[in-house]
Amino acid sequence: MCGLVGIYGVPEAAKYTYFGLFALQHRGQEGAGIAVFNGKRIVEYKNLGLVSEAFNEKILQELAGDIAVGHVRYSTTGASVLQNVQPFCVKYSKKTLALAHNGNLVNAYALRCELEEEGHIFQTTLDSEVIIHLIVKYLKEGLVYAIAKTMKRIKGAYSVLLLCDDLLVAFRDPWGFRPLALGILNGGYALASETCAFDLLGAEYLRDVAPGEILVIDSNGPKSFLPFEEDPQPLSHCIFEFVYFARPDSFVFQKNVYLVRKNLGYNLFKECPLSADFVMPLPDSGTYAALGYSQASGLPLEFGVIRNHYIGRTFIQPSEKLRDLSVKMKLNPVKEFIRGKEVIVVDDSLVRGTTSKNRIRSIRLAGAKKIHFLISCPPLRYPCFFGIDFPQARELIASKHSVEEIRKFLDIDTLYYLSLEGLLDSVGELRDKVCLACFTGNYPLEVDFSFRKDITEI
Ligand code: AMP
């Protein structure tokens, strides 16, 4: 997964982009980059690590200009190396272009092979690089034509920001897999994956970039082009943005994430009303569903485990003998509170089941009498090809084990997953516009099950 920020017509655009990326840090922690148009050409800086680690004041000052795009990366295609950090910049025919992409293409490998046959030379192992090669290939007919033609060829999830010298362009796949919003900022414009970036920048949300739309911003303001007007695709917003990914203070797909997560908790209670001493989340991912469950049930909400917010990255991995240490580094149970209690523990999802097993074990060791574990989405049984980093099906615990088998593996008294209907009810009017493939295996597009994120690595 990744996060995007674009700024147009605002002095110190790189600094605004930096702070926007800072707000989107949860969407990718492997690397960050900013490209800015300095009046003559595009210059960029990118680095591995968190936004605050990748940049400093001096670097930002050197990125002078009032048009910029930025990216935070979490790899879903290509290795986690500096070369693959975006924006991806190229020079072509006296133009400089910089591209930032969120999402995963499902036909990138086939397109890359085709372009290589034609003599294109690739610099990275990113699926995103295919997009810029195609745009450049069609560019002599004009930028909007080239982007429209590229959009017809690439399949999958793409919310893209493109700087082409002094133009800022945003475009989004016709299925609308990943979010992208447009706002007004200090007389200029801002674009961001999530609206929480606008809140930090003081930008005012205008609207979402529509699925299938190309939005070109120049000195006359934004202009919209709709290459899929005659050929609209079924909307497939990623429901996992609501379940886990997006920040609760954001609106994605025009819906507030916090409220959806609380609805998930209400619906968990409707489907699985339990009595216990209290409800507790696994923070932060289970917090809002636990709040919803507590409010619906009348049971108290307690923070039975405490999160260390400063964990960041550690290069010293605890040995097998110290494996409890790695769990407690992030979450530590409040023993005085848990001892002898019957608790309802809420989390958003189970992926491999390994982290949860360790967390549940530490709650058990803290003396919980009974543990009921509620998950605020249905069992994840199928991999995602559209930008969420879910492992292959065989690594997803629910793809090969029944709920009862998982309950035994986790060593708990109750395991309950929210139903698909409960999940859909929680997103209200979006219920017919979401991608549920990770739960149902019904992919909105043809996918290649042999895909691996290192497919382009040599
Ligand atoms: P596990 O028990 O190993 O399946 O891990 C479950 C935890 O992983 C839950 O707390 C989720 O919030 C979290 N999680 C869900 N999806 C992802 C993801 N794509 N990347 C990292 N963590 C995730």
Side-chain angles (χ1 to χ4, degrees):
M1 186 54 75
C2 300
L4 310 176
V5 177
I7 302 288
Y8 185 93
V10 181
E12 296 191 284
K15 265 199 185 161
Y16 281 94
T17 305
Y18 170 88
F19 286 110
L21 293 178
F22 195 83
L24 299 182
Q25 186 73 81
H26 60 288
R27 296 186 73 86
Q29 300 90 41
E30 290 178 14
I34 296 176
V36 59
F37 181 68
N38 69 5
K40 280 197 187 124
R41 61 190 174 89
I42 294 169
V43 289
E44 68 154 350
Y45 182 84
K46 48 195 193 179
N47 208 343
L48 292 171
L50 300 176
V51 178
S52 57
E53 297 164 345
F55 292 93
N56 59 37
E57 185 78 37
K58 186 167 170 283
I59 293 164
L60 288 171
Q61 261 162 20
E62 282 164 14
L63 295 173
D66 53 13
I67 310 171
V69 293
H71 188 269
V72 283
R73 171 171 159 84
Y74 178 84
S75 56
T76 47
T77 302
S80 185
V81 293
L82 182 58
Q83 206 181 15
N84 281 345
V85 177
Q86 298 186 34
F88 180 70
C89 288
V90 294
K91 293 186 184 66
Y92 174 78
S93 187
K94 298 203 173 157
K95 286 187 194 311
T96 42
L97 297 106
L99 177 129
H101 169 210
N102 175 207
N104 241 37
L105 303 181
V106 293
N107 64 341
Y109 187 61
L111 287 169
R112 183 178 173 123
C113 294
E114 180 190 312
L115 289 160
E116 282 178 340
E117 284 271 301
E118 290 172 16
H120 289 242
I121 297 164
F122 281 78
Q123 296 173 38
T124 72
T125 50
L126 295 171
D127 60 341
S128 322
E129 193 179 344
V130 165
I131 305 176
I132 212 153
H133 278 253
L134 286 172
I135 291 173
V136 162
K137 178 172 163 166
Y138 305 126
L139 202 55
K140 55 181 170 303
E141 306 278 349
L143 183 64
V144 173
Y145 171 90
I147 294 172
K149 181 117 187 186
T150 299
M151 289 168 81
K152 299 273 171 161
R153 297 216 56 203
I154 54 180
K155 303 267 177 277
Y158 55 91
S159 283
V160 174
L161 295 180
L162 176 74
L163 266 189
C164 182
D165 288 338
D166 58 350
L167 293 180
L168 174 57
V169 187
F171 55 97
R172 194 168 163 217
D173 66 73
W175 301 272
F177 282 106
R178 300 282 149 228
L180 189 59
L182 170 70
I184 295 189
L185 173 66
N186 300 350
Y189 294 91
L191 288 141
S193 297
E194 292 181 33
T195 59
C196 66
F198 292 169
D199 296 338
L200 180 61
L201 300 181
E204 186 193 332
Y205 170 81
L206 266 183
R207 65 175 179 88
D208 281 6
V209 175
E213 179 179 10
I214 304 172
L215 192 77
V216 181
I217 309 182
D218 64 14
S219 53
N220 297 315
K223 198 162 172 200
S224 174
F225 301 86
L226 300 169
F228 290 89
E229 205 168 16
E230 248 112 81
D231 179 27
Q233 300 297 310
L235 290 179
S236 305
H237 303 315
C238 170
I239 202 157
F240 214 67
E241 292 272 354
F242 289 114
V243 172
Y244 170 76
F245 216 83
R247 245 172 68 162
D249 48 341
S250 285
F251 279 73
V252 294
F253 317 125
Q254 296 163 63
K255 220 167 166 63
N256 175 238
V257 176
Y258 183 109
L259 292 179
V260 171
R261 286 193 191 151
K262 254 176 83 174
N263 289 343
L264 297 172
Y266 293 145
N267 283 330
L268 265 177
F269 176 69
K270 259 202 227 159
E271 294 180 14
C272 184
L274 295 168
S275 65
D277 289 300
F278 57 82
V279 184
M280 56 178 270
L282 288 180
D284 292 329
S285 46
T287 302
Y288 308 94
L291 180 64
Y293 194 96
S294 158
Q295 290 185 355
S297 63
L299 291 172
L301 176 77
E302 300 287 359
F303 291 93
V305 287
I306 303 300
R307 177 172 170 197
N308 180 346
H309 286 268
Y310 304 99
I311 180 153
R313 245 177 292 273
T314 167
F315 295 103
I316 303 163
Q317 291 302 322
S319 63
E320 188 58 19
K321 234 167 72 189
L322 295 177
R323 78 192 159 101
D324 279 349
L325 193 144
S326 70
V327 182
K328 287 191 193 147
M329 272 168 76
K330 188 155 181 198
L331 294 181
N332 189 33
V334 187
K335 289 192 210 61
E336 289 59 30
F337 221 80
I338 288 179
R339 195 176 300 124
K341 297 284 175 29
E342 179 169 350
V343 297
I344 296 172
V345 180
V346 181
D347 203 1
D348 70 298
S349 57
L350 268 178
V351 184
R352 292 182 174 85
T354 44
T355 325
S356 306
K357 175 146 180 91
N358 289 329
R359 289 174 177 174
I360 292 288
R361 187 165 164 268
S362 76
I363 295 171
R364 182 72 78 194
L365 288 175
K369 192 171 70 183
K370 273 192 170 181
I371 301 177
H372 309 290
F373 193 27
L374 310 185
I375 306 293
S376 66
C377 73
L380 287 166
R381 296 203 166 101
Y382 303 91
C384 176
F385 296 91
F386 305 109
I388 301 272
D389 187 26
F390 282 147
Q392 301 195 310
R394 65 185 147 79
E395 291 174 60
L396 293 167
I397 190 166
S399 78
K400 46 181 194 344
H401 293 288
S402 67
V403 174
E404 179 54 15
E405 284 169 344
I406 303 170
R407 184 192 69 74
K408 283 194 180 135
F409 165 75
L410 294 174
D411 190 19
I412 46 182
D413 299 276
T414 310
L415 172 63
Y416 186 81
Y417 284 95
L418 185 66
S419 69
L420 202 59
E421 181 47 39
L423 176 65
L424 289 173
D425 180 75
S426 307
V427 296
E429 72 289 355
L430 289 182
R431 61 177 298 137
D432 300 321
K433 299 174 181 155
V434 284
C435 176
L436 299 167
C438 50
F439 305 117
T440 62
N442 297 327
Y443 293 93
L445 293 174
E446 200 181 318
V447 294
D448 172 7
F449 281 90
S450 66
F451 173 84
R452 298 184 62 93
K453 76 187 219 182
D454 59 358
I455 191 163
T456 46
E457 303 295 334
I458 297 161

